[in-house]
Amino acid sequence: MLRLAGARLLDDRDYPAVRAVLAADPVGSCMVSARVESAGLDPWRLGGELWGTDGRYVRAGALQGLCFAGPNLVPLTGGAGALRSFADRALRRPRTCSSLVGPAEQVLGLWEQLAGDWGPAREERPDQPLMALDGEPRVAADRAVRPVLPHELGTYFPAAVAMFHEEVGVDPTAGDGGAGYRARVSELIAGGRAFARFEGGEVVFKAEIGALSDRVGQIQGVWVHPRHRGRGLGAAGTAAVARHLVHGLGRVASLYVNSYNTPALAAYHRIGFRQVGRYATVLF
């Protein structure tokens, strides 16, 4: 019977095995793939650690489980034994991640192992359809949606804060006055990955490409100003960002959404997104 060793810190010698795991599910692994492709496996450059589990007696270079430990804890693959190993490693030090996020089976299985020490969570979102689009959107793209320019950060940032507060339930400007979050938003703008529709000097629609691997772009932060909801701006704006990913960047467009957000789910289905998996998130 195959026995799993404890989770170990992966390094550049494991790069081929890591890439094989990521390539098996390019949509589900986009958040981690984007980091690995740009930074390799060195923790300092990666902004976190990659943990893996191997077969104790089968050293053929294949990983039985893979988990990223950084600002978020992202268990991508692994059965019960691998998840137990990831939990053991995570519990050796104080929790620093703000969430567990990733494929639902792995996230919920890992949380079952961690909840006794890390719980209670601020919120659990166990059912988040993971969706993808690789062709022309079925909803006409909003031509007024465009990349945000660096000098527009001051106008865009309040909308980003409002979205974060509404979606995550916390104020991203708390603690450091918003310096960290502002830097992240500025980075997305500088990379051409923040999009908005402006009307009357304010943002009425926004969205971002949060993670961009060589095959997939993950759309995040979709938001419509409360005064402008009901006009179809969310669907048309998301279609514009998805079209940019598919036709402009040659990527599959992806996103995930809470299952209880029926208006958003309906809009994404109208655009042409199809469900390809299920995510879960545990927020602290």
Side-chain angles (χ1 to χ4, degrees):
M1 181 174 68
L2 181 68
R3 297 175 59 197
L4 292 176
R8 62 183 178 87
L9 177 63
L10 303 180
D11 58 34
D12 285 334
R13 292 171 295 182
D14 299 294
Y15 188 80
V18 170
R19 292 289 289 148
V21 173
L22 299 177
D25 183 10
V27 176
S29 69
C30 177
M31 288 186 289
V32 177
S33 293
R35 287 177 175 266
V36 170
E37 289 167 10
S38 64
L41 271 59
D42 176 74
W44 187 84
R45 290 182 285 117
L46 189 64
E49 297 179 347
L50 270 178
W51 303 338
T53 58
D54 313 281
R56 187 181 295 273
Y57 302 120
V58 181
R59 305 293 295 186
L63 293 169
Q64 303 298 317
L66 182 65
C67 181
F68 172 74
N72 304 304
L73 191 60
V74 187
L76 287 176
T77 61
L83 296 177
R84 178 67 259 173
S85 296
F86 296 148
D88 288 344
R89 192 172 184 103
L91 291 172
R92 294 177 193 169
R93 57 192 181 188
R95 178 184 63 79
T96 58
C97 63
S98 61
S99 71
L100 271 68
V101 60
E105 181 179 356
Q106 279 68 40
V107 167
L108 298 177
L110 182 55
W111 178 234
E112 185 178 350
Q113 303 282 350
L114 293 171
D117 293 271
W118 283 8
R122 180 168 58 83
E123 185 178 353
E124 298 180 31
R125 300 176 179 181
D127 186 5
Q128 298 176 302
L130 177 66
M131 311 184 81
L133 173 69
D134 59 5
E136 182 70 18
R138 295 200 296 258
V139 170
D142 186 347
R143 294 179 178 273
V145 170
R146 59 169 176 80
V148 180
L149 302 176
H151 74 269
E152 295 172 317
L153 173 62
T155 303
Y156 184 82
F157 187 66
V161 171
M163 176 282 303
F164 194 97
H165 194 280
E166 188 174 323
E167 172 63 22
V168 183
V170 298
D171 182 358
T173 66
D176 64 355
Y181 188 57
R182 190 179 185 90
R184 172 57 178 159
V185 172
S186 180
E187 179 185 10
L188 290 170
I189 291 174
R193 289 161 54 182
F195 296 80
R197 177 187 176 113
F198 295 88
E199 289 183 7
E202 69 177 1
V203 173
V204 298
F205 166 85
K206 67 162 290 293
E208 297 144 3
I209 301 171
L212 185 66
S213 73
D214 61 4
R215 298 175 63 183
V216 180
Q218 190 173 85
I219 300 172
Q220 67 176 29
V222 177
W223 180 83
V224 176
H225 194 292
R227 290 202 310 272
H228 297 273
R229 292 173 185 174
R231 296 171 50 191
L233 294 177
T238 303
V241 180
R243 193 176 195 282
H244 174 77
L245 275 167
V246 173
H247 295 292
L249 299 180
R251 264 71 162 191
V252 174
S254 176
L255 51 80
Y256 61 98
V257 59
N258 294 315
S259 61
Y260 56 76
N261 191 345
T262 51
L265 271 172
Y268 297 145
H269 281 300
R270 286 200 308 274
I271 294 167
F273 281 91
R274 68 189 188 283
Q275 184 170 349
V276 296
R278 186 167 70 100
Y279 260 27
T281 302
V282 178
L283 296 167
F284 302 111

